[in-house]
Amino acid sequence: MSAAPDPLRRRLLRIGLSATASAALPLAGCAAPAGDAPAPRRLRAAPARVSLLGDPWPDTDVWAYEGSVPGPLLRVRQSATLRVRVVNDLAAPTSVHWHGVRLPNAMDGVPHVTQPPIAPHGGTFDYAFACPDAGTFWYHPHAASHVQVAMGLHGALIVDEAAPPAVDRDVLWVLDDWRLRRDGSVSPDFGSAFDATHAGRIGNTVTLDGRLPGRFAVAAGERLRLRLLNVANARIFALRFEGHSPSLIATDGMPCEPHAPDGGLVVLGPGMRADVLLDCAGAPGATTRVVDEFVARDAYEVVTLAHGTGRRRAAPLRDPLVLPPNPVPVPDLARAVRHRIAFTGGMGGAMDARGMAAARGGRGAMRHAWAIDGRSATEHDHRHEPLLLLDRGATYVVEFVNDTAWWHPIHLHGHSFRLLSRNGAPLPRTLVADTTLLPPRSRGEVAFVADNPGDWMLHCHVLEHQASGMMATVRVA
Ligand code: C2O
Ligand code: CU
């Protein structure tokens, strides 16, 4: 299993980001050039064959960016411009959405809303945008996402702070969940009515950085900045680091006051990220488990932290690590305009009559199983008016009401919101995110300044829910 880039690669990357970049350095695979160097980084989406399971298992046919799953790690300095030329060598139209980046609407990668789809068999699209916030972000298609992301199209985008905080290692773990058949192939049952109306496409094989996880080597006393990213269609992870006291330092890339996660579990719905400060607490030679306890009765080990025989330092560090804040506008709660958005549908819920009426005539391939405020839209079916019309610059408090029996990670494009309350109870600390995971029959309030003009998607990031009606747009003008 490979973690974040090895030190040599990172050193080269740093050199590449400086003005002295030399064409002789193997930088093409590392990052987009910063500053004025306009050469875009290529991201070619095409079928590929990779080893997810390792020997002796067969390879898996996937769709991949540049032949690898996850796709290449893109890394830029905060406020630098990322330039990427996407080449579509798939047989299906695609696009690339830069999840969590507060970028101009035309770069958001939503087919039929912000750009035409990138044509199959050789179509291209050039993305170029500044990355205003440091943190852990990611990219993935926004066309038939429930198929394309599941087939392997996704990658991480790390935006580095101007002065990255000191840690021993900066590590990325891309968590994924695959539904594989016995021959190692991806099960082709995409968009089943069962998955759509229940928890989404839950798989049978969890991977870390595109491989079956085994042991992850650490040193006693080592301090890791662990960037966790959940790219699964539907699986929610609740990670317990046995024998450790992880500290949450950023949610969806946005710094927070360092704190122990609730119940010791780092919870990640699909699309979500967490930066965790992990001071390796095992003795030299010790192994400790990282366990996914989201479904307590089905808890399983994701990966083992294997402490080497040496020590990085005599005892784990204890001082907190506070990341510098990002320039996200602060909501003006006293003047906020309030909205309430209800999510309905799914097994055990009922699509109300209004929702079914609105759904009739939809051209999405999947059935309309869910609705947002009574309206059900699939795959960018934008005959609907925007769900909300927001005045640019104003603060909004939106209460999301999950009136279903299922979990939903609700994601807003183009903005990051502050999480205000859960079931009416204020949160104990300020958390900023682009996705909020709503438990069944719960409500959660978020607040944000609608400062980014354009039509932005608001949807559930369980991709089967998104594809079967849990999607809308909000317009900021
Ligand atoms: Cu990561 Cu609209 O999605
Ligand atoms: Cu959902």
Side-chain angles (χ1 to χ4, degrees):
M1 147 186 44
S2 74
D6 62 56
L8 174 63
R9 206 170 148 88
R10 288 198 56 203
R11 227 175 299 133
L12 290 171
L13 179 65
R14 284 286 145 68
I15 297 166
L17 290 171
S18 79
T20 58
S22 148
L25 290 170
L27 296 172
C30 296
D36 295 327
R41 171 93 166 69
R42 189 188 73 161
L43 220 44
R44 175 175 170 266
R49 217 170 145 72
V50 300
S51 174
L52 294 175
L53 304 173
D55 283 340
W57 302 95
D59 289 353
T60 302
D61 285 307
V62 297
W63 295 354
Y65 292 117
E66 296 298 324
S68 75
V69 176
L73 168 61
L74 303 180
R75 197 152 195 164
V76 292
R77 274 294 158 117
Q78 186 170 13
S79 27
T81 297
L82 179 66
R83 298 174 201 280
V84 176
R85 168 160 300 171
V86 174
V87 179
N88 181 12
D89 280 329
L90 303 167
T94 192
S95 73
V96 176
H97 169 59
W98 308 92
H99 182 126
V101 180
R102 298 185 301 122
L103 40 58
N105 192 251
M107 294 289 116
D108 198 43
V110 181
H112 308 297
V113 178
T114 68
Q115 67 169 86
I118 309 174
H121 305 298
T124 66
F125 191 90
D126 287 348
Y127 294 94
F129 52 88
C131 298
D133 303 310
T136 308
F137 303 96
W138 67 297
Y139 59 93
H140 63 80
H142 223 283
S145 317
H146 66 291
V147 179
Q148 298 194 5
V149 176
M151 285 300 293
L153 291 170
H154 47 73
L157 165 59
I158 293 179
V159 182
D160 282 305
E161 297 81 10
V167 290
D168 295 325
R169 253 196 306 165
D170 185 334
V171 173
L172 169 69
W173 282 2
V174 179
L175 296 161
D176 200 355
D177 174 36
W178 302 75
R179 188 178 289 175
L180 298 180
R181 297 186 292 189
R182 296 197 75 83
D183 62 358
S185 63
V186 177
S187 173
D189 58 339
F190 296 109
S192 80
F194 182 88
D195 291 342
T197 54
H198 292 72
R201 181 184 170 94
I202 302 291
N204 51 21
T205 308
V206 166
T207 58
L208 197 162
D209 296 337
R211 304 300 299 261
L212 268 193
R215 295 158 77 86
F216 182 81
V218 298
E222 188 180 16
R223 168 162 276 195
L224 305 180
R225 175 180 185 170
L226 188 53
R227 303 172 187 261
L228 302 167
L229 158 61
N230 180 2
V231 301
N233 281 35
R235 184 179 292 273
I236 302 167
F237 294 91
L239 300 180
R240 182 179 302 287
F241 292 77
E242 290 182 351
H244 285 82
S245 314
S247 166
L248 206 49
I249 57 173
T251 50
D252 291 348
M254 296 298 167
C256 57
E257 172 199 329
H259 63 284
D262 285 349
L265 295 175
V266 181
V267 177
L268 291 162
M272 297 168 73
R273 290 87 64 212
D275 284 36
V276 162
L277 190 69
L278 190 71
D279 288 297
C280 296
T287 56
T288 62
R289 305 187 311 159
V290 181
V291 177
D292 175 9
E293 296 187 2
F294 181 68
V295 182
R297 67 176 185 281
D298 286 331
Y300 63 96
E301 178 184 319
V302 174
V303 64
T304 296
L305 299 179
H307 293 69
T309 50
R311 273 189 190 278
R312 180 66 177 72
R313 56 178 59 79
L317 295 172
R318 298 203 174 279
D319 54 312
L321 185 149
V322 182
L323 295 170
N326 279 324
V328 178
V330 178
D332 179 358
L333 295 177
R335 295 150 151 263
V337 179
R338 305 185 68 91
H339 288 286
R340 189 170 185 277
I341 294 178
F343 300 92
T344 53
M347 187 51 67
M351 286 278 287
D352 62 32
R354 211 169 114 232
M356 289 311 285
R360 263 198 293 278
R363 56 187 159 79
M366 293 185 68
R367 53 183 280 186
H368 293 263
W370 309 89
I372 301 183
D373 262 6
R375 296 193 285 183
S376 180
T378 61
E379 197 60 18
H380 317 305
D381 181 2
H382 291 287
R383 286 170 294 172
H384 297 295
E385 281 303 294
L387 183 67
L388 299 177
L389 297 172
L390 306 181
D391 289 334
R392 185 176 178 183
T395 290
Y396 292 87
V397 170
V398 179
E399 184 178 41
F400 296 128
V401 180
N402 177 4
D403 198 6
T404 80
W406 303 91
W407 291 74
H408 304 289
I410 301 300
H411 172 48
L412 174 64
H413 287 206
H415 300 77
S416 292
F417 42 64
R418 190 202 287 192
L419 307 177
L420 288 185
S421 72
R422 179 56 48 88
N423 293 326
L427 297 195
R429 60 181 58 78
T430 301
L431 297 177
V432 178
D434 54 60
T435 306
T436 179
L437 182 60
L438 295 178
R441 312 272 174 219
S442 71
R443 3 189 216 108
E445 277 179 316
V446 304
F448 63 99
V449 179
D451 65 336
N452 201 353
D455 283 2
W456 301 102
M457 307 303 302
L458 172 73
H459 64 87
C460 178
H461 222 289
V462 171
L463 300 179
E464 291 67 33
H465 295 176
Q466 177 191 8
S468 60
M470 260 187 142
M471 176 154 58
T473 49
V474 301
R475 178 170 295 164
V476 178

